[in-house]
């Protein structure tokens, strides 16, 4: 296990994961667990940069943990844990804060976007959370980080901070690289296929949740925005159909060309109906497992407690080195 490269990733506990989250991230995570040493975190510390209802946040953390497992992340092969249960994340963040320049954080496009959208909640956590993200990554001597386009800046900051610390104090951190899976699907909104599928979409028909039941999925796909051409083909001029073809292909394993040939001379109605059934064939077993896991609170507690212990053991080794190198007096108790 120790010879394997280390991968770290995580997601915020919003309580709702979409088909886009699954195809864009988690489906690919499940393919990594045999080849790499993987740590997957429920990043609840990041979640409180926006106001949260405490009871809801706790429930959402359990829900995300259950969805991780239901989607195929094996607790026997991976370290799955709750971020706030490993205090070393915050301790390393403080050290890295003292080495992060204001100009670097000012350049973060996500901060600029969030600042525009939520001026009333412009807190220091929104400004510095990329440093916490860097701590998440560097704490575990991570080799590879699965990242999307919107996270590349944050990974670059983690790399810069690792190099800065190593240059100042001697080699301590691995320099993480981005992991860009070839098969990561970019799933678009069912109501506006020019935009990425998001659970924050005001139109609930724009996204499919992993916890949607079969009838809900059929209804959303039936209402999916297409076009007036009436021909199933993979064309940027038909973004709605193109999006459904991407989903169909990612979930069925069939190539785009193969699917297009299957629907030659057939209308959108049949194609949409079949696409819905392909989605249901994958999501429904996961939904049933997810619901069963939510009922087994003892099992979920066992998983996140064991995961935190394993993560903490690794994190403590790194932090001990960091504290020694920056000059903190060693604890003797």
């Amino acid at each position: 296990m120790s010879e394997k490269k280390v991968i770290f990733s995580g997601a915020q506990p919003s309580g709702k994961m979409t088909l886009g989250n699954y195809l864009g991230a988690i489906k690919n995570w499940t393919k990594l667990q045999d080849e790499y040493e993987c740590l997957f975190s429920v990043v609840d510390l990041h979640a409180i940069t926006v106001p949260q209802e405490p009871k809801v946040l706790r429930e959402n953390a359990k829900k995300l943990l259950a969805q991780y497992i239901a989607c195929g992340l094996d607790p026997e092969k991976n370290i799955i844990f709750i971020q706030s249960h490993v205090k070393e994340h915050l301790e390393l963040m403080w050290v890295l804060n003292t080495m992060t320049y204001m100009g670097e954080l000012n350049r973060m496009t996500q901060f600029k976007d969030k600042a525009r959208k939520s001026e009333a909640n412009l807190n220091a956590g929104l400004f510095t959370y990329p440093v916490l993200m860097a701590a998440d990554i560097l704490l575990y001597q991570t080799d590879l980080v699965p990242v999307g386009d919107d996270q590349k800046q944050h990974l670059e900051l983690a790399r810069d901070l690792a190099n800065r610390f190593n240059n100042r104090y001697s080699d301590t951190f691995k320099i993480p690289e981005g992991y860009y899976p070839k098969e990561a699907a970019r799933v678009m909104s069912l109501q506006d296929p020019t935009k990425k599928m998001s659970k924050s979409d005001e139109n609930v028909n724009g996204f499919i949740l992993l916890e949607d039941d079969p009838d809900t999925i059929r209804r959303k796909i039936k209402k999916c925005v297409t076009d007036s051409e009436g021909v199933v083909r993979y064309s940027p001029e038909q973004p709605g159909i193109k999006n459904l073809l991407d989903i169909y292909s990612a979930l069925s394993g069939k190539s785009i060309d193969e699917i297009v040939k299957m629907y030659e001379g057939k209308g959108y109605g049949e194609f949409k109906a079949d696409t819905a059934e392909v989605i249901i064939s994958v999501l429904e077993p996961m939904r049933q497992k997810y619901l069963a896991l939510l009922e087994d609170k003892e099992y979920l507690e066992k998983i996140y407690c064991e995961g935190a212990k394993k993560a903490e053991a690794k994190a403590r080794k790194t932090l001990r080195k960091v504290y020694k190198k920056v000059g903190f007096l060693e604890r003797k108790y």
Side-chain angles (χ1 to χ4, degrees), residues 18-20 187-198 201 203-209 212 216-227 239-245 247-248 272 275-276 279:
T18 68
L19 178 62
V187 182
M188 311 308 284
S189 166
L190 300 178
Q191 292 298 307
D192 182 357
T194 63
K195 296 179 180 178
K196 191 175 177 181
M197 181 179 284
S198 171
D201 193 328
N203 188 338
V204 295
N205 292 313
F207 54 83
I208 290 175
L209 298 175
D212 279 347
T216 300
I217 293 171
R218 291 186 186 103
R219 186 177 69 252
K220 288 181 177 181
I221 294 296
K222 188 174 183 179
K223 291 182 178 180
C224 175
V225 169
T226 52
D227 53 71
I241 292 298
K242 183 175 179 287
N243 187 38
L244 291 183
L245 283 167
I247 293 170
Y248 195 127
K272 281 186 173 184
T275 301
I279 296 170

Side-chain angles (χ1 to χ4, degrees), residues 128-198:
T128 61
Y129 84 95
V131 186
L132 177 57
M133 192 175 294
D136 297 339
I137 295 165
L138 300 180
L139 197 55
Y140 300 102
Q141 302 297 341
T142 301
D143 295 287
L144 298 167
V145 184
V147 286
D149 291 339
D150 57 343
Q151 298 294 343
K152 286 181 180 178
Q153 250 192 330
H154 296 150
L155 176 59
E156 283 306 310
L157 177 66
R159 287 170 54 83
D160 289 344
L161 290 175
N163 275 311
R164 194 171 298 158
F165 190 98
N166 291 349
N167 290 334
R168 185 180 296 183
Y169 295 109
S170 78
D171 285 352
T172 306
F173 297 115
K174 283 186 179 178
I175 310 302
E177 300 283 346
Y179 178 85
Y180 306 99
K182 296 176 183 177
E183 300 175 14
R186 184 174 173 83
V187 182
M188 311 308 284
S189 166
L190 300 178
Q191 292 298 307
D192 182 357
T194 63
K195 296 179 180 178
K196 191 175 177 181
M197 181 179 284
S198 171

Side-chain angles (χ1 to χ4, degrees), residues 13 15 51-63 297:
Q52 301 282 344
E53 182 69 34
K55 182 180 178 181
V56 174
L57 180 60
R58 283 190 288 270
E59 288 304 310
N60 284 348
K62 290 178 186 176
K63 286 180 178 180
K297 294 182 180 179

Side-chain angles (χ1 to χ4, degrees), residues 264-323:
E264 283 182 4
K266 298 180 180 179
Y268 288 170
E270 185 174 350
F271 173 59
K272 281 186 173 184
D274 290 350
T275 301
E277 295 310 314
V278 168
I279 296 170
I280 291 164
S281 71
V282 175
L283 296 196
E284 183 57 14
M286 294 194 303
R287 187 178 79 92
Q288 292 298 332
K289 185 174 183 180
Y290 164 71
L291 293 174
L293 285 166
L294 286 181
E295 294 298 316
D296 195 345
K297 294 182 180 179
E298 286 187 14
Y299 175 73
L300 289 179
E301 186 174 315
K302 176 175 175 284
I303 296 304
Y304 69 67
C305 287
E306 289 181 354
K309 288 177 184 176
K310 291 176 184 176
E312 188 175 43
K314 291 181 175 295
R316 178 50 54 183
K317 288 181 182 178
T318 297
L319 194 70
R320 198 176 290 127
K321 291 178 184 177
V322 170
Y323 273 20

